[in-house]
Amino acid sequence: RPAAAPRRPPPGTAERHTLELEAPLDAAVAALAAHLGLEPDLDRAALAARGILPGEVVRAQVTGATRAELLDAVVAPLGLRWRIEGRRLVVDAPPP
């Protein structure tokens, strides 16, 4: 399944997100970053050090999630972490 953009809540409501995803990690991170108005920054060297390929398929399903819950649902199952630096969504792997 191609990466689908999460659905945004109606204006004037709390920022909550719904997502059903099955896509390569790099495509998923790019779609999430675009949805959040950020630039994706996937630390490929950190992923390689952990044996994770950018094309590894991630699956996530969340309903009514906050931004943090949305991002955690995509990266945490692979043991990755995320942070927002300015206008960038950085996804990397903690040191082994």
Side-chain angles (χ1 to χ4, degrees):
R1 246 186 281 184
R7 292 188 303 247
R8 281 196 173 269
T13 61
E15 183 79 16
R16 295 289 178 165
H17 308 270
T18 298
L19 171 70
E20 184 173 341
L21 172 77
E22 182 174 318
L25 176 63
D26 53 358
V29 169
L32 287 172
H35 171 72
L36 298 171
L38 302 169
E39 293 295 321
D41 185 351
L42 189 60
D43 185 340
R44 293 171 187 266
L47 270 63
R50 297 280 304 273
I52 299 170
L53 298 172
E56 185 156 344
V57 173
V58 293
R59 292 168 186 82
Q61 185 172 358
V62 294
T63 302
T66 64
R67 178 173 72 176
E69 292 166 340
L70 176 71
L71 293 166
D72 285 344
V74 173
V75 303
L78 292 176
L80 303 177
R81 61 189 179 185
W82 63 270
R83 67 187 179 280
I84 295 175
E85 292 182 352
R87 302 300 305 152
R88 294 183 310 133
L89 169 60
V90 179
V91 176
D92 66 6

